[in-house]
Amino acid sequence: YGGLPPEVRRKQAERFANGETQICVATDAVGMGLNLPADNVCFWEMDKFDGKGIRTLYPAEIQQIGGRAGRFGFSEAGVVGATRHDDLKLLKSLFYQKPPDLTHARVAPSVEDLTLIPGSLADRLEEWGRLESIPPDLRGSVRTADLAERVELARMLSNKQVAKLGIAHAIQLINAPTRKSTRDFWEICAKAIIDQVAMPLPPEPASEIKNSESLDYIEMCISCADVYLWLAHRQEFEEFGEHLELVKEDRRLWSDLIDDA
C-alpha cells in the first residue's frame, strides 16, 4: 500500500517476482510502476477512498492495476477478474473504455508571484489560487496546483518568522513532503532553521512491531525522517542537518523492521 516506505514495497515485490511468494495482496499502489510476473489480477473491490470520499475506480486506474497481469517479458498471458459477479460486470465495462485525454498541467506560484500579493504567506498562497494567476493564453492547458498542504504549513509560520527567513526560503520550507501526522515535526524543524540551530532527530519507534498501532507509529517516524532528509538536502538548509547520516541509517533500520514484520 502507498503508506509503506518505497524500500519495503520494493522488497515485497521482489519476493513475489522471485517466486518466494505466490500471491501479492496490495492496494491500488500496485498499479504504480511495478512490473511483476503476474498471470492473474483479481479485484477484491471496485472502489477506493481518494482522500475525499469513496468512489468507483476510474477506467485508467483499472487498466493500470489490471495491466500488472501478463506483463510483456514477465508472463505468457494475463487474466483480470473480480471476486463478485456485479464487480466483474463493472470491470468488463470499464476495462475497455478509452481513458480521457490529458487536458491540462498544474503549476505552482513562483517567488515573484507571491511577492506581488499582500498579506501573510498563507493568505498569499490562497489569494494566488483564487486569482488563478495564469496568463490568459495558457488557461486552457494550465491550472493552479493544489496548495492545501502548503497553506497549512504556511499558517504555522508567523509573519515575523517569514520575514526572518525571507520569502524564497519560506516557500522552500513549506514545499517539504509533509502530511497531517508529520506537521508537528516539520514545525519543530522549521523553528530550528529559523533559530539557526541543528534540526532535532525524528521520533524513534519501538524496536519491535507488535500490532497495527505500532506499525502506524513507525510509518509516521519514517515520514518524519523523510521530512528531515528532504530539508537537509536543500542547499538553503543543509547546515542545519548535521544528523543527516544518522537519520539515513535510522530510516533504513526502521524500513527493515516493517519488512520483517
Side-chain angles (χ1 to χ4, degrees), residues 109-133 147 151 154-155 159 162-163 166-168 170-171 174:
S110 66
V111 174
E112 292 75 16
D113 290 334
L114 296 179
T115 303
L116 298 172
I117 301 173
S120 69
L121 182 55
D123 291 340
R124 295 182 193 195
L125 289 166
E126 288 187 318
E127 184 64 14
W128 184 87
R130 279 194 294 269
L131 290 171
E132 295 189 342
S133 306
L147 301 175
V151 170
R155 289 200 189 288
N159 290 346
V162 172
I167 187 72
I171 291 171
I174 64 170

Side-chain angles (χ1 to χ4, degrees), residues 89-101:
K89 287 171 65 177
L90 180 60
L91 176 66
K92 284 181 177 179
S93 69
L94 296 177
F95 190 82
Y96 294 106
Q97 282 188 21
K98 182 181 182 300
D101 294 329

Side-chain angles (χ1 to χ4, degrees), residues 99-261:
D101 294 329
L102 296 177
T103 58
H104 59 274
R106 298 281 183 182
V107 63
S110 66
V111 174
E112 292 75 16
D113 290 334
L114 296 179
T115 303
L116 298 172
I117 301 173
S120 69
L121 182 55
D123 291 340
R124 295 182 193 195
L125 289 166
E126 288 187 318
E127 184 64 14
W128 184 87
R130 279 194 294 269
L131 290 171
E132 295 189 342
S133 306
I134 296 166
D137 57 326
L138 292 177
R139 287 190 178 174
S141 55
V142 177
R143 297 181 189 174
T144 54
D146 180 2
L147 301 175
E149 184 63 19
R150 286 179 237 191
V151 170
E152 289 296 329
L153 298 185
R155 289 200 189 288
M156 299 167 80
L157 297 174
S158 68
N159 290 346
K160 188 176 179 180
Q161 289 173 322
V162 172
K164 188 173 181 180
L165 279 166
I167 187 72
H169 284 194
I171 291 171
Q172 183 74 298
L173 196 60
I174 64 170
N175 282 335
T178 59
R179 58 185 70 179
K180 190 175 182 180
S181 63
T182 59
R183 288 176 194 160
D184 288 344
F185 177 72
W186 173 88
E187 184 176 21
I188 296 170
C189 289
K191 286 179 178 176
I193 289 170
I194 293 164
D195 294 337
Q196 297 194 311
V197 297
M199 292 186 292
L201 290 169
E204 191 164 337
S207 58
E208 187 180 0
I209 299 172
K210 296 181 178 180
N211 49 42
S212 60
E213 288 77 16
S214 57
L215 176 61
D216 287 342
Y217 188 75
I218 195 171
E219 287 177 355
M220 185 274 293
C221 293
I222 289 174
S223 294
C224 287
D226 287 338
V227 171
Y228 184 102
L229 294 172
W230 190 92
L231 290 169
H233 278 106
R234 306 278 82 72
Q235 187 176 1
E236 304 94 318
F237 312 131
E238 61 185 1
E239 64 181 292
F240 310 114
E242 63 181 43
H243 306 302
L244 177 68
E245 295 305 321
L246 176 59
V247 174
K248 277 184 182 177
E249 179 61 16
D250 282 346
R251 190 190 182 288
R252 185 188 66 78
L253 292 173
W254 299 342
S255 292
D256 287 345
L257 274 177
I258 294 178
D259 189 58
D260 292 341

